């Protein structure tokens, strides 16, 4: 009997130690923490004008980020920024910018023949700011305008979401964005003054266009074409440089020992290198 009791006690002891001794499942997957920046938002309204397109341009740190074009009966065009929401209702244009990064923003509101209104707003994380309603005032001084379209020189397709800069003789810079249809507009320019239009876009050659003075109250129509960059042909290893690669600046002696630098030749001249072993 004692032996049976001893065996039962030993079994119970093993059972007691055996319970809960399994190793817990270890987390083997890597946990990646994604840092997110808290954002804010701002909104406002603008009084629309019958038969007039109102342009709203949103800038941060002096760089234009987005553009919206309002008309009395709807939104004519808008940028591709998914965080900008627009609508019209009973002669009022509504706009709201959501998930905006913290910082200082400037909004330019303009229309042909109307004084440009500038709004400034500071975006604070997790806060929404309401801006004053804008009502544009007609200009008393004569102005001119520039309207055009930006296209691919090869395909003829419009190029959208491109930042264009227009500079006058006084050094003042005007900025705009092309719409999805490649259309751009500069309003209320000084009259009888030449300008320089500068266009730079990824995948295309940069371009400058001289713009002649525009008479008062007139709109100059302009078509600008950008030339696509041609990627150099890549050769297999051991075949030398790729066709179209830029040669480094170098100096080599001629047959008389005189050094010639590549930089000493004009860009419009062809340079041919011939290597020879000399006469034996």
């Amino acid at each position: 009997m004692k032996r049976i009791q001893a065996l039962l006690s030993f079994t119970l002891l093993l059972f007691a130690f055996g319970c809960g001794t399994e190793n817990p499942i270890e987390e083997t997957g890597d946990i990646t923490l994604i840092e997110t920046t808290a954002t804010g938002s701002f909104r406002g309204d603008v009084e629309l004008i019958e038969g007039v397109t109102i342009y709203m341009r949103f800038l941060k740190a002096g760089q234009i980020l987005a553009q919206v074009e309002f008309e009395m009966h709807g939104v004519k065009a808008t940028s591709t920024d998914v965080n900008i929401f627009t609508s019209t209702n009973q002669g009022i244009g509504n706009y709201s910018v959501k998930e905006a990064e913290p910082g200082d923003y400037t909004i330019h509101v303009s229309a042909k023949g109307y004084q440009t209104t500038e709004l400034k707003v500071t975006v604070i994380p997790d806060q929404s700011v309401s801006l004053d309603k804008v009502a544009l005032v007609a200009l008393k001084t004569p102005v001119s305008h520039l309207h055009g379209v930006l296209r691919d020189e090869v395909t003829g397709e419009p190029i959208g979401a491109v930042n264009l800069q227009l500079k006058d003789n006084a050094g003042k810079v005007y900025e705009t964005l092309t719409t999805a249809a490649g259309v751009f507009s500069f309003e209320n320019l000084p009259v009888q003054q030449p300008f320089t239009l500068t266009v730079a876009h990824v995948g295309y050659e940069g371009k400058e266009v001289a713009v002649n003075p525009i008479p008062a109250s007139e709109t100059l129509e302009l078509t600008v074409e950008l030339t696509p960059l041609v990627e150099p042909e890549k050769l297999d290893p051991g075949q030398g440089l790729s066709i179209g690669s830029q040669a480094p600046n170098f100096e080599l002696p001629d047959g008389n020992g005189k050094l010639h630098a590549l930089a000493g030749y004009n860009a419009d001249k062809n340079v041919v290198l011939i290597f020879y072993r000399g006469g034996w």
Side-chain angles (χ1 to χ4, degrees):
M1 186 66 180
K2 290 182 178 181
R3 177 169 181 165
I4 294 175
Q5 290 178 345
L7 288 175
L8 289 174
S9 299
F10 183 70
T11 302
L12 290 174
L13 185 62
L14 288 177
F15 179 79
F17 276 101
C19 291
T21 58
E22 292 183 2
N23 293 328
I25 298 175
E26 296 182 358
E27 296 288 342
T28 57
D30 295 334
I31 300 176
T32 303
L33 297 178
I34 301 176
E35 295 184 3
T36 58
T37 302
T39 59
S41 63
F42 59 92
R43 65 166 305 280
D45 305 316
V46 57
E47 292 186 9
L48 305 180
I49 306 169
E50 186 67 46
V52 175
T53 299
I54 294 179
Y55 301 87
M56 297 195 67
R57 298 181 176 100
F58 300 83
L59 299 89
K60 184 179 182 184
Q63 182 178 0
I64 184 168
L65 303 177
Q67 179 173 301
V68 176
E69 298 178 16
F70 283 107
E71 289 187 340
M72 178 61 75
H73 305 292
V75 178
K76 180 180 178 182
T78 184
S79 71
T80 56
D81 193 328
V82 295
N83 295 326
I84 297 180
F85 300 87
T86 56
S87 63
T88 58
N89 183 27
Q90 298 182 349
I92 301 296
N94 315 112
Y95 65 91
S96 62
V97 181
K98 301 181 179 180
E99 298 183 4
E101 294 183 358
D104 297 327
Y105 291 77
T106 303
I107 302 99
H108 290 165
V109 187
S110 63
K112 289 183 179 181
Y114 290 82
Q115 183 177 345
T116 299
T117 297
E118 182 176 281
L119 302 173
K120 292 186 179 295
V121 59
T122 299
V123 172
I124 301 174
D126 301 322
Q127 291 189 19
S128 179
V129 180
S130 294
L131 302 178
D132 295 335
K133 181 189 294 184
V134 175
L136 296 180
V137 179
L139 285 169
K140 297 180 180 180
T141 56
V143 291
S144 59
H145 318 285
L146 175 62
H147 184 269
V149 61
L150 184 66
R151 293 176 178 165
D152 185 300
E153 184 182 51
V154 177
T155 65
E157 293 294 323
I159 309 175
V162 179
N163 190 327
L164 281 71
Q165 292 187 338
L166 188 70
K167 182 183 292 186
D168 62 20
N169 275 352
K172 183 176 180 179
V173 176
Y174 307 83
E175 286 191 274
T176 191
L177 276 179
T178 59
T179 66
V183 177
F184 61 89
S185 177
F186 293 94
E187 312 82 44
N188 307 324
L189 302 172
V191 300
Q192 301 299 340
Q193 185 175 152
F195 301 90
T196 300
L197 178 65
T198 303
V199 187
H201 190 51
V202 176
Y204 291 87
E205 296 181 5
K207 192 165 190 174
E208 286 191 351
V209 179
V211 179
N212 294 326
I214 307 171
S217 302
E218 291 192 12
T219 299
L220 175 65
E221 296 291 338
L222 186 65
T223 298
V224 180
E225 294 183 331
L226 294 185
T227 304
L229 291 174
V230 179
E231 294 187 5
E233 180 183 345
K234 295 183 179 181
L235 303 178
D236 294 333
Q239 290 185 273
L241 296 175
S242 300
I243 298 174
S245 298
Q246 184 175 357
N249 191 20
F250 60 85
E251 289 185 346
L252 288 175
D254 59 17
N256 299 318
K258 181 181 178 181
L259 287 176
H260 296 266
L262 181 61
Y265 293 86
N266 294 330
D268 58 349
K269 291 184 178 180
N270 294 324
V271 177
V272 179
L273 298 179
I274 301 176
F275 297 90
Y276 63 95
R277 298 177 62 183
W280 284 8

